[in-house]
Amino acid sequence: MSDTAQHDLIQRAAERLRNSQRPAVLTGAGVSKESGVPTFRDAVEGLWAKYDPMELATPGAFRKNPKLVWDWYEYRRGLVRTAQPNPGHDALAALESRFPGLPVITQNVDDLHEQAGSTNVIHLHGNIAESKCFFDCQGSPTLIDVSQLEWDKENGPPACPHCGRWVRPNVVWYGEMLPGDQLQTAMLASQRADVMLVIGTSGLVSPAASLPGVARHAGATLIEINPDYSAITRIADIKLDGPSGEIMPRLLAALGD
Ligand code: OAD
């Protein structure tokens, strides 16, 4: 696409946002890629190109090999711990000066939106920095502060201090329900939105992937930011091609914020 065409599309998106009363945002792994956190479905560098989700991201995989799964999440925690928000996260946070409390629905398990300053982040797939009892023995979720525990790391995850069974990362695995309150809040924000920014998601994992359709059905304009095609592209009203770390600051500048 020519620079002029791209410029015009960004102006159109900015115009639509300028007239918006209730925007919402849906983000995926792409928004954190420029912070050094790998996406899932990138053909070469994506996590699912190197690892099998069925061996690492299901309750059955954890039961079968808790040490393998725990260690893999420790590796990913390490990647996230050192990551910093990038200009895409920063621009989204800056949008709150125009739209206080802008709902940022994310599939990401990092906290880079919060670090950038977004105040209303709805985590659909959990938080990788947290851990919980595998059986949620004290109610859902039974969060456990593992920094307070001592255990033999060669043996796998620590034991729950309440029931003695395994502790696991507080993320949603394949085959599990999403946290009900977060999903309901995300659904309401999508139904109420008059503009939805869809940033850096392949749109392949439901129910998160259904939210742009929910918003559009309720009358919202969909603005997608992604360097590639996604399952959302065909229903997007405006598609801004490029990495969010470049496009989001340009969109913010076009808004005049
Ligand atoms: P994916 O890895 O499926 O998709 C990442 C998307 O980001 C792709 O469409 C890329 O084209 C796009 N992308 C890459 N670089 C980008 C950039 N710099 N700026 C903007 N976009 C960029 O990640 P998700 O859609 O988030 O779930 O994946 C959804 C879920 O699948 C994850 O939450 C995870 C995974 O399995 C669970 O673990 C439950």
Side-chain angles (χ1 to χ4, degrees):
M1 181 182 300
S2 75
D3 262 6
T4 324
Q6 177 84 307
H7 174 83
D8 289 351
L9 276 177
I10 290 177
Q11 293 300 324
R12 257 184 68 201
E15 182 60 23
R16 189 63 197 87
L17 262 181
R18 206 173 287 120
N19 294 322
S20 168
Q21 306 295 316
R22 291 178 312 281
V25 182
L26 173 68
T27 69
V31 81
S32 293
K33 184 171 173 181
E34 289 153 279
S35 296
V37 182
T39 65
F40 294 92
R41 293 180 181 78
D42 183 275
V44 181
E45 293 168 358
L47 290 171
W48 296 156
K50 297 184 191 158
Y51 306 99
D52 179 356
M54 293 306 127
E55 294 292 325
L56 293 165
T58 69
F62 186 76
R63 276 201 190 86
K64 192 170 124 199
N65 197 339
K67 176 168 164 47
L68 176 78
V69 174
W70 180 263
D71 287 351
W72 189 66
Y73 277 90
E74 281 292 290
Y75 155 72
R76 287 184 52 206
R77 281 171 168 157
L79 293 177
V80 166
R81 212 173 285 131
T82 51
Q84 300 286 321
N86 67 56
H89 298 105
D90 292 339
L92 268 179
L95 266 185
E96 284 202 40
S97 62
R98 184 180 283 266
F99 303 112
L102 173 71
V104 178
I105 306 162
T106 189
Q107 299 163 84
N108 298 345
V109 292
D110 62 51
D111 68 348
L112 295 174
H113 286 305
E114 287 92 337
Q115 281 191 45
S118 288
T119 61
N120 186 13
V121 185
I122 301 154
H123 280 276
L124 292 180
H125 291 167
N127 178 342
I128 197 168
E130 294 176 347
S131 301
K132 65 175 183 174
C133 171
F134 184 64
F135 290 93
D136 277 334
C137 66
Q138 306 295 305
S140 183
T142 299
L143 295 178
I144 309 289
D145 181 358
V146 296
S147 71
Q148 301 303 311
L149 302 179
E150 280 186 24
W151 77 98
D152 177 4
K153 299 201 168 55
E154 292 307 309
N155 270 333
C160 171
H162 305 291
C163 70
R165 293 178 287 185
W166 294 122
V167 168
R168 56 165 279 181
N170 184 26
V171 297
V172 175
W173 282 331
Y174 282 95
E176 293 187 313
M177 305 286 281
L178 273 59
D181 50 345
Q182 304 279 308
L183 181 58
Q184 196 184 0
T185 308
M187 196 57 93
L188 276 175
S190 305
Q191 282 163 349
R192 281 171 43 86
D194 54 8
V195 172
M196 180 179 263
L197 292 175
V198 184
I199 311 175
T201 180
S202 57
L204 291 173
V205 177
S206 283
S210 67
L211 296 174
V214 168
R216 191 161 199 276
H217 188 70
T221 302
L222 294 188
I223 302 172
E224 184 183 33
I225 298 171
N226 197 312
D228 222 323
Y229 285 97
S230 77
I232 309 299
T233 307
R234 69 189 164 77
I235 58 165
D237 297 285
I238 302 174
K239 167 76 195 313
L240 303 176
D241 281 313
S244 53
E246 287 175 26
I247 300 289
M248 277 307 299
R250 287 178 65 185
L251 183 57
L252 195 70
L255 260 176
D257 286 354

